[in-house]
Amino acid sequence: MASALAAAALLRLAGADAIAFAHAQFSSDIKALAPGDCGCGAWLDAQGRVQAVFVALRSDANSLLLWLPRGDAAALASAVGRYRLRSRVQIDVVPGWQVLAAPPATTAPPFGRWLAHADGCLLRPAPTAQRGLLLAPAALPIDAAAALEWQREDLCARLPWLETAVAGRFVPQALELERIGALSFDKGCYPGQEIAARLHFRGGNKRGLRAVVTGTLAPPPGTTLSDADGQRIGEVLYAVPAQGGQPAAALVVAELAAPAAADDTAGSA
């Protein structure tokens, strides 16, 4: 039986202009996704700051499903909906779905594809993910231990899932969105594209993702961490508490020169 890991934050974009609208708003090449394809993407504001990170699943010729692993589907629907204007696209939050660990006997497709399974979608969440998950309508009790283990795997893989509390703080390069295929520079314009492209082609970004051990505490998103000598490491993207003999850890948007190896011990400032 599948373990329930979290409620699924999902948006559905549907209509004759849904794909064109999503392609013009988001940082990845949505038009390149064929039905049955999936890929990571983001929505940036006009200042080039990341407001949301998601996995996009192309359903058919005129519809798209967006899963925000740590984001707020309703907030993204409201924000993106303001740019709909006369576009023939309906943007709806999909309620009542959960994120489930793929059953052991189920083999998820390679990243980039998803399969219909148990009334939902079977996929791998990112190019570096070794395990599969199922997005499906369900109302199972959350398996807290499995959820924490899953979150720790995300953290160790440096998956840049964005909490609402830190939305709008980081440029895409600081979240390493290029590493997961969430950033395109040859698809045409989208909000924040000019700033993202300037950082890509001319340089200037001085931050990246680091996993750090935080001891016994899991600091909330946005917390500034320092090392034992008081040197600033960076800001917490998300964290997991101590579990099963493993210490608490955080994924940090760190200064590239900062000491932040995975076995460093950090404290909040």
Side-chain angles (χ1 to χ4, degrees), residues 212-218 240-242 246-249 264-266:
V212 300
V213 169
T214 57
T216 58
L217 300 177
V240 294
Q246 299 187 79
D264 283 344
T265 299

Side-chain angles (χ1 to χ4, degrees), residues 17-194:
D17 296 330
I19 303 305
F21 174 82
H23 186 81
Q25 286 294 317
F26 302 139
S27 63
S28 55
D29 192 347
I30 298 296
K31 287 184 177 179
L33 299 177
D37 286 349
C38 62
C40 296
W43 188 55
L44 316 183
D45 61 24
Q47 289 71 46
R49 301 281 172 162
V50 183
Q51 294 289 339
V53 178
F54 54 78
V55 179
L57 296 80
R58 180 77 179 266
S59 304
D60 54 42
N62 296 315
S63 63
L64 190 72
L65 194 67
L66 302 184
W67 169 48
L68 291 79
R70 286 180 172 264
D72 185 329
L76 182 60
S78 177
V80 173
R82 293 197 294 268
Y83 298 92
R84 187 171 49 185
L85 302 176
R86 297 181 180 178
S87 296
R88 295 168 296 173
V89 54
Q90 184 71 32
I91 305 172
D92 297 306
V93 174
V94 180
W97 284 42
Q98 289 183 315
V99 183
L100 309 173
T106 304
T107 301
F111 179 75
R113 294 289 294 171
W114 66 270
L115 297 175
H117 181 85
D119 297 323
C121 308
L122 180 67
L123 68 148
R124 298 179 192 272
T128 55
Q130 300 301 311
R131 69 279 196 273
L133 61 81
L134 181 64
L135 303 174
L140 300 174
I142 300 299
D143 184 331
L148 285 178
E149 182 179 351
W150 190 277
Q151 292 165 19
R152 190 176 293 273
E153 289 185 28
D154 281 355
L155 190 154
C156 291
R158 305 197 336 269
L159 299 184
W161 307 141
L162 195 66
E163 298 264 4
T164 303
V166 289
R169 293 198 187 188
F170 309 113
V171 295
Q173 283 82 356
L175 298 181
E176 301 180 5
L177 294 189
E178 291 178 84
R179 181 170 56 88
I180 61 169
L183 203 56
S184 174
F185 300 105
D186 56 8
K187 54 161 274 185
C189 293
Y190 51 87
Q193 182 265 347
E194 183 178 352

